[in-house]
Amino acid sequence: MDPGVIRKLDEVVVNRIAAGEIIQRPANALKEMIENSLDAKATSITITVKAGGLRSLQIQDNGTGIRREDLGIVCERFTTSKLQSFDDLSSISTYGFRGEALASISHVAHLTIVTKTKHEKCAYKACYEDGKLKGDIKPIAGNQGTQITVDELFYNVPMRKQALKTPNEEFQRISDVVSKYAVHNPHACFILKKFGETATIRTQAKTTVAHNIGAIYGAGIGKALVPIELRDEVMQLTVEGYVTNVNFSLKKGISLMFINHRAVECSALKKAIDAIYAVYLPKGSAPFVYLSLELNPQNVDVNVHPTKHEVHFLHEEEIVEKVKLLVERALLGGNAARSYTQALLPGATQPLDSSKVNESMVGGGDEKPRLDYKFVRTSHSEQKLEKFFNISGSGAGISAGGGDPMKEEPQDEVVEPKLTQPSPSRKKKVVKRETRLHSIHTLRQQVESDGDENLRKIFRELTYVGTIDREQVLIQYDTKMYLSKVQSIAEELFYQLLLFNFGNFERLTLSEPLDLKRLVHAGLDDPASGYTEEDGPADELADVIVQKLVSKAPVLREYYNLSIREDGCLESLPKLLDNYIPSLVFLPMYVIRLATDVEWEEEQECFRTFSRETAHFFSRIALTKPEKEYRWELEHVLYPAVRNYLIPPKEMAKNGSLLQLASLPELYRVFERC
């Protein structure tokens, strides 16, 4: 069989194929024309539709209009007033940039333009077919601006027309486009209507984004909006928008995303936001999200998709992560009603004493009868979450020999010794002394000044509900249920204990001293240390680390009861909490970081960085700890200390350490409606 002959396609065929990439359905054509109207500084845009835009699609604006002398080429491909050279694409800040919109429409429909500029005495009417002017340009009466009418869309591409949905479905797609641009451009008036009918969408000029969201998508969404805003000079990023709080959800989510004022789709950003809401919303429901990102035009590639619904930009991962954190903080800060609690678990016989609950939080004093849905469990002796997982808490908790063995063979040998706590008789002999070091007082003041009073109240009056896993627990405050992240809260607690109990620590003694050099070697073998052969011989590096720590031994022993002998053996660690012993699994990395990450030369930084590293070591929960021991330790040691000692920093309200899940009054309202 002979090969086929390659021929150059007729220009009309080429243009119709190209037009099919740009204009896939009436909504695409309308989007292009709306963007042209907005580029022309229009403040009033009226769209009239017949048969879903297939019979007729008309848009009229009051913008600057098109000059009479430009009407001859306005529908030819790659004609535009936005660009002069290819380099202009790197700084484009308008909607249109390739000059294909009107050309593409004219190749698949009958196109008519009526336009008038403010300097011309009358309007002009021109008709187009296949990108060329059809007939003469006629002067007619008209107002300033442009009216574009698209008749019989896809009349010459019957296969495309047959593939489209019903007129009602196509009109819905048109309505979606108009809704997006009406929300994003509150300075302009938008009107959408079917031919011969009243307006389906009507917004007023000079309103606000939030007002238009409520007007178009419903008052329910409008009332649930939480504003978000970000300015990042480093990333040259500005983010503005609204998301619905976690009390509101839709069966089908609504997502409006704009990058440099262009309606686009960003799958990475959408997935990140969906992942946030998946924690809060029931399965199968989704939020309303409106986001407007402004980036440096030089960092955005706008010319990557024929329909311009997709753009690429630099630092996408970093920007998506910043927006994700922004939405998380907005939900955390604006989510006063979303919470959950166990008021009376199965088996409870009567409501609890309401005097144990803060009356200011439930809106009533002693003289007012307490509503049923405001009775909450506040006693730790009541039933716990563990009952439903067949997990029995044990008061035995932590044994005197509660150290954890290393996983690797060399480390098994290193950590055979166990940490033991001081006897009760010795504890009585400890006399607390107050430090006079200015650096420690400064660090304590920083902790106190950065404390969040609302969070402090929550932690001070918390009730421990149950353990979810080694990273999360449930706690209750008043009628609200919270998800608490163990690691970050424990680390902050131990840091503060190291500062406020400075110089008064008892010691956790190792039954057998540990050779620091062997610990360092074990730590360097861990990939997490980042050590490579390029850093030098491991033996030499270990010697340097050991010498460093031995030289600092007097300070560590004096202030922290961390005892290192002159021969480089570790004898003890500070005791931060009764019945709490850190896991020796992480001891090798802790030793390395003491030498490399603590700022030993400056007093205040030395105490701060040492406390941070030690707090990090103490807060890490080893996977090798028995399940019962771990759960008992959290409930009876760690979280009681959190309740008594922790001054939660303001950052904790933003970083996800404490997430409000539900509230009893709100759940009661839901069940009332059922």
Side-chain angles (χ1 to χ4, degrees), residues 496-536:
Q496 294 181 16
L497 289 174
L498 283 157
L499 293 181
F500 287 92
N501 203 29
F502 181 81
N504 292 284
F505 298 106
E506 297 178 56
R507 57 192 287 161
L508 296 172
T509 306
L510 287 156
S511 58
E512 293 182 18
L514 294 177
D515 184 358
L516 285 180
K517 189 170 182 178
R518 295 178 65 189
L519 284 173
V520 172
H521 277 291
L524 294 177
D525 290 340
D526 187 343
S529 68
Y531 168 75
T532 63
E533 293 182 358
E534 297 178 357
D535 297 324

Side-chain angles (χ1 to χ4, degrees), residues 367-658:
E367 72 280 359
K368 295 182 180 179
R370 191 175 185 81
L371 300 177
D372 290 342
Y373 64 86
K374 292 183 178 178
F375 284 114
V376 295
R377 174 176 61 77
T378 58
S379 171
H380 64 83
S381 63
E382 298 293 333
Q383 297 182 70
K384 306 274 191 312
L385 195 65
E386 281 78 359
K387 174 179 177 180
F388 303 95
F389 296 97
N390 292 321
I391 298 171
S392 59
S394 172
I398 301 173
S399 63
D404 297 298
M406 290 289 189
K407 296 181 180 178
E408 300 179 6
E409 292 182 2
Q411 298 177 19
D412 283 337
E413 297 178 8
V414 171
V415 293
E416 279 182 358
K418 302 297 187 291
L419 286 166
T420 56
Q421 303 192 56
S423 63
S425 60
R426 182 178 174 184
K427 288 171 62 177
K428 293 179 182 178
K429 297 178 182 178
V430 176
V431 178
K432 185 162 183 175
R433 54 176 179 168
E434 182 56 50
T435 181
R436 296 183 180 181
L437 293 177
H438 176 74
S439 55
I440 291 297
H441 285 288
T442 301
L443 292 172
R444 291 174 179 176
Q445 289 171 3
Q446 289 176 359
V447 169
E448 292 173 342
S449 63
D450 192 44
D452 186 298
E453 282 303 316
N454 292 328
L455 289 179
R456 193 170 187 178
K457 187 175 183 63
I458 291 172
F459 283 119
R460 191 166 55 238
E461 301 178 20
L462 72 85
T463 299
Y464 191 90
V465 176
T467 307
I468 296 178
D469 53 33
R470 291 182 182 270
E471 297 179 355
Q472 303 172 108
V473 302
L474 288 177
I475 63 173
Q476 177 182 313
Y477 165 70
D478 194 58
T479 57
K480 298 178 175 63
M481 185 77 78
Y482 294 89
L483 185 69
S484 170
K485 299 295 180 68
V486 174
Q487 174 79 27
S488 57
I489 289 176
E491 187 168 336
E492 185 62 31
L493 169 68
F494 288 126
Y495 172 70
Q496 294 181 16
L497 289 174
L498 283 157
L499 293 181
F500 287 92
N501 203 29
F502 181 81
N504 292 284
F505 298 106
E506 297 178 56
R507 57 192 287 161
L508 296 172
T509 306
L510 287 156
S511 58
E512 293 182 18
L514 294 177
D515 184 358
L516 285 180
K517 189 170 182 178
R518 295 178 65 189
L519 284 173
V520 172
H521 277 291
L524 294 177
D525 290 340
D526 187 343
S529 68
Y531 168 75
T532 63
E533 293 182 358
E534 297 178 357
D535 297 324
D539 203 53
E540 293 181 7
L541 185 58
D543 286 336
V544 172
I545 291 175
V546 172
Q547 291 172 11
K548 182 78 169 179
L549 294 179
V550 169
S551 68
K552 304 300 179 183
V555 175
L556 297 177
R557 186 180 301 108
E558 170 71 15
Y559 296 125
Y560 298 104
N561 234 332
L562 192 156
S563 179
I564 298 175
R565 297 193 319 216
E566 291 184 1
D567 62 356
C569 287
L570 178 67
E571 291 183 315
S572 68
L573 294 171
K575 177 186 174 185
L576 303 188
L577 276 180
D578 287 340
N579 293 321
Y580 186 89
I581 296 178
S583 172
L584 295 182
V585 169
F586 306 106
L587 187 57
M589 279 302 301
Y590 172 59
V591 169
I592 292 175
R593 292 181 68 86
L594 282 185
T596 59
D597 287 55
V598 173
E599 179 54 63
W600 292 103
E601 303 305 320
E602 198 274 322
E603 182 179 296
Q604 182 171 314
E605 274 301 290
C606 171
F607 292 137
R608 187 189 69 81
T609 52
F610 175 85
S611 298
R612 283 295 180 193
E613 292 300 332
T614 305
H616 181 69
F617 165 60
F618 270 76
S619 67
R620 299 183 71 181
I621 306 296
L623 296 178
T624 54
K625 272 192 177 180
E627 187 75 9
K628 287 184 180 180
E629 178 182 323
Y630 165 77
R631 291 176 177 271
W632 186 91
E633 201 172 66
L634 285 183
E635 180 176 356
H636 297 285
V637 179
L638 190 63
Y639 274 82
V642 167
R643 183 164 51 232
N644 293 330
Y645 306 124
L646 181 65
I647 303 173
K650 295 181 177 66
E651 181 63 24
M652 203 169 277
K654 305 174 184 178
N655 63 12
S657 296
L658 190 69

Side-chain angles (χ1 to χ4, degrees), residues 294-363:
E294 288 190 53
L295 304 167
N296 185 338
Q298 294 183 353
N299 294 342
V300 182
D301 185 356
V302 294
N303 200 25
V304 296
H305 196 280
T307 63
K308 295 184 288 187
H309 79 278
E310 184 178 317
V311 297
H312 290 172
F313 50 90
L314 294 178
H315 315 299
E316 182 171 324
E317 291 184 2
E318 293 88 339
I319 289 173
V320 168
E321 185 62 25
K322 282 185 177 292
V323 176
K324 179 181 176 182
L325 290 174
L326 182 64
V327 173
E328 283 181 323
R329 291 171 183 171
L331 294 180
L332 198 61
N335 184 24
R338 175 71 172 190
S339 31
Y340 172 77
T341 190
Q342 290 171 291
L344 291 172
L345 293 176
T349 57
Q350 61 182 2
L352 301 175
D353 184 4
S354 62
S355 65
K356 296 182 180 179
V357 183
N358 183 349
E359 294 297 339
S360 66
M361 299 298 294
V362 297

Side-chain angles (χ1 to χ4, degrees), residues 36-154:
N36 284 342
S37 294
L38 292 170
D39 275 340
K41 311 301 180 185
T43 58
S44 177
I45 300 174
T46 302
I47 299 105
T48 307
V49 180
K50 185 185 293 186
L54 295 172
R55 290 282 302 278
S56 178
L57 178 63
Q58 184 183 91
I59 179 169
Q60 182 171 356
D61 65 56
N62 64 345
T64 57
I66 303 171
R67 299 189 309 165
R68 161 71 174 79
E69 51 268 34
D70 293 334
L71 287 173
I73 64 169
V74 73
C75 284
E76 292 184 12
R77 289 190 72 188
F78 307 119
T79 57
T80 177
S81 61
K82 319 291 175 27
L83 301 174
Q84 292 185 358
S85 67
F86 182 81
D87 292 339
D88 292 342
L89 278 172
S90 64
S91 59
I92 190 74
S93 59
T94 56
Y95 291 105
F97 51 87
R98 285 191 302 230
E100 291 185 272
L102 294 179
S104 298
I105 295 171
S106 72
H107 284 290
V108 292
H110 301 303
L111 181 66
T112 303
I113 297 177
V114 176
T115 185
K116 178 184 181 299
T117 66
K118 66 178 182 180
H119 299 296
E120 291 171 334
K121 296 180 180 180
C122 65
Y124 293 93
K125 178 180 179 180
C127 299
Y128 299 87
E129 187 174 312
D130 289 329
K132 304 294 182 183
L133 188 62
K134 184 179 178 182
D136 297 330
I137 299 173
K138 301 176 181 178
I140 62 171
N143 297 322
Q144 180 180 325
T146 302
Q147 175 185 290
I148 301 176
T149 306
V150 180
D151 292 322
E152 302 299 334
L153 187 62
F154 300 128

Side-chain angles (χ1 to χ4, degrees), residues 184-249:
H184 187 67
N185 297 274
H187 66 279
C189 164
F190 281 81
I191 298 174
L192 170 64
K193 59 183 179 180
K194 293 182 179 179
F195 186 80
E197 298 183 16
T198 57
T200 304
I201 294 176
R202 182 188 296 272
T203 64
Q204 301 298 319
K206 299 180 181 179
T207 58
T208 64
V209 169
H211 178 274
N212 283 359
I213 290 174
I216 296 171
Y217 293 99
I221 292 178
K223 292 177 181 178
L225 293 179
V226 177
I228 59 175
E229 187 174 356
L230 172 69
R231 299 281 190 279
D232 191 318
E233 299 297 334
V234 177
M235 300 294 295
Q236 296 180 292
L237 169 69
T238 300
V239 181
E240 294 179 347
Y242 290 91
V243 296
T244 47
N245 61 42
V246 291
N247 292 316
F248 183 90
S249 64

